[in-house]
Amino acid sequence: MGRRGYPVEFRRKVLDLLAEGRSVASVAHDLDVSDQTIYSWRKQDRIDRGLPVLSTKENGELASARGHRRRP
């Protein structure tokens, strides 16, 4: 039997900490959650709130359009 996941309240706490300016890495370390899990929660939260979520390709195109160079 696998893990059932994290409670909604816990996810909300994590997202609130990010909104306060904490880094994903520090929250992940302090709360013993993988950083990839937190990135997924943040992405889903943005989708749920109707905010734009760009793909890697779209981010690169946007950076190019703004005249920024991507780091290797």
Side-chain angles (χ1 to χ4, degrees):
M1 181 175 227
R3 186 177 195 160
R4 296 193 64 100
Y6 294 93
V8 173
E9 298 82 13
F10 181 78
R11 294 180 194 191
R12 184 75 256 155
K13 178 182 178 180
V14 168
L15 294 171
D16 289 345
L17 290 170
L18 296 177
E20 292 171 3
R22 297 269 311 270
S23 71
V24 170
S26 72
V27 173
H29 178 266
D30 290 350
L31 299 178
D32 196 27
V33 179
S34 77
D35 57 346
Q36 188 57 49
T37 296
I38 294 174
Y39 284 119
S40 296
W41 293 347
R42 185 172 66 178
K43 180 179 180 181
Q44 187 61 53
D45 181 60
R46 291 182 65 85
I47 292 168
D48 292 347
R49 291 187 294 134
L51 298 173
V53 179
L54 302 177
S55 68
T56 302
K57 180 181 177 188
E58 291 168 328
N59 274 328
E61 291 170 353
L62 183 59
S64 294
R66 289 181 177 160
H68 296 129
R69 300 187 73 201
R70 293 179 67 180
R71 292 182 181 172

